Amino acid sequence: MRDIEAPVRFELKGTVKASLSDVLAFYRAELGKRNWQEKPDDAVVTADRVRLAFTSPKGPALLTLERAKQETNGKTEVSLVQRNAEAAAKANVLPISGQARLVFGYLVPDVASLVINDRTIKIAGGENHPQMLDLPPGTYSYELLVSGRPVRTDTVTIASGEAWSLHDDRKPSQVY
């Protein structure tokens, strides 16, 4: 994000040669030492998968652990995502409470349109004019048109509190 010093969303992924239960114990202890507070009502813990939501000093965070696929050597896949609420607010990607935000813009000279949720939104061409659309959580089909011709048709699944960027040349990407 331009003019934003801190990342809006930070994600760490890796694989650890340790059992899922050992990795879970490690993260619970270490994140707690860093003032991350686990939200126990949102916890999902099974033999093969763990999903824990946290409140961190910078904003909401999510830890996902999975037993590595086809694994017999005790490896665990780790995904840790932290969202920075202050940076998201400065970048104007923080959604309205209870909603999700879509961020889209267009950089080529032609005028584009985004068709989503039975609504057509014109996107100015020539410069990046990012636009925002807040929607209730859910799965939405959309179509991006340039000069009246479709250039991308896709779906995006958005959850409350998330922000996603829509592109003409690749899948939607989560920005917050």
Side-chain angles (χ1 to χ4, degrees), residues 35-128:
N35 296 321
W36 289 39
Q37 296 178 359
E38 186 177 334
K39 297 166 73 177
D41 292 346
D42 296 333
V44 176
V45 180
T46 68
D48 295 329
R49 188 169 199 272
V50 172
R51 183 178 164 103
L52 300 179
F54 289 86
T55 301
S56 79
K58 292 201 180 278
L62 184 67
L63 172 67
T64 305
L65 307 174
E66 291 190 65
R67 188 178 313 234
K69 295 167 186 64
Q70 309 276 325
E71 186 50 52
T72 57
N73 295 330
K75 290 185 180 177
T76 300
E77 295 174 356
V78 178
S79 171
L80 181 62
V81 176
Q82 181 184 39
R83 296 183 291 164
N84 185 328
E86 183 179 333
K90 285 181 182 175
N92 196 30
V93 296
L94 195 61
I96 295 170
S97 180
Q99 300 278 298
R101 177 163 284 182
L102 296 179
V103 180
F104 50 94
Y106 206 65
L107 297 173
V108 298
D110 296 331
V111 173
S113 298
L114 174 70
V115 180
I116 187 168
N117 204 25
D118 296 323
R119 183 173 166 191
T120 300
I121 301 163
K122 297 286 185 197
I123 307 167
E127 293 182 29
N128 189 13

Side-chain angles (χ1 to χ4, degrees), residues 16 18-28 63 65 76 78:
V16 180
S19 71
L20 190 135
S21 60
D22 288 345
V23 176
L24 173 59
F26 168 81
Y27 275 101
R28 278 185 161 151
L63 172 67
L65 307 174
T76 300
V78 178

Side-chain angles (χ1 to χ4, degrees), residues 98-100 117 134-140 158-160:
Q99 300 278 298
N117 204 25
D134 290 311
L135 294 167
T139 299
Y140 295 90
I158 53 179
S160 179

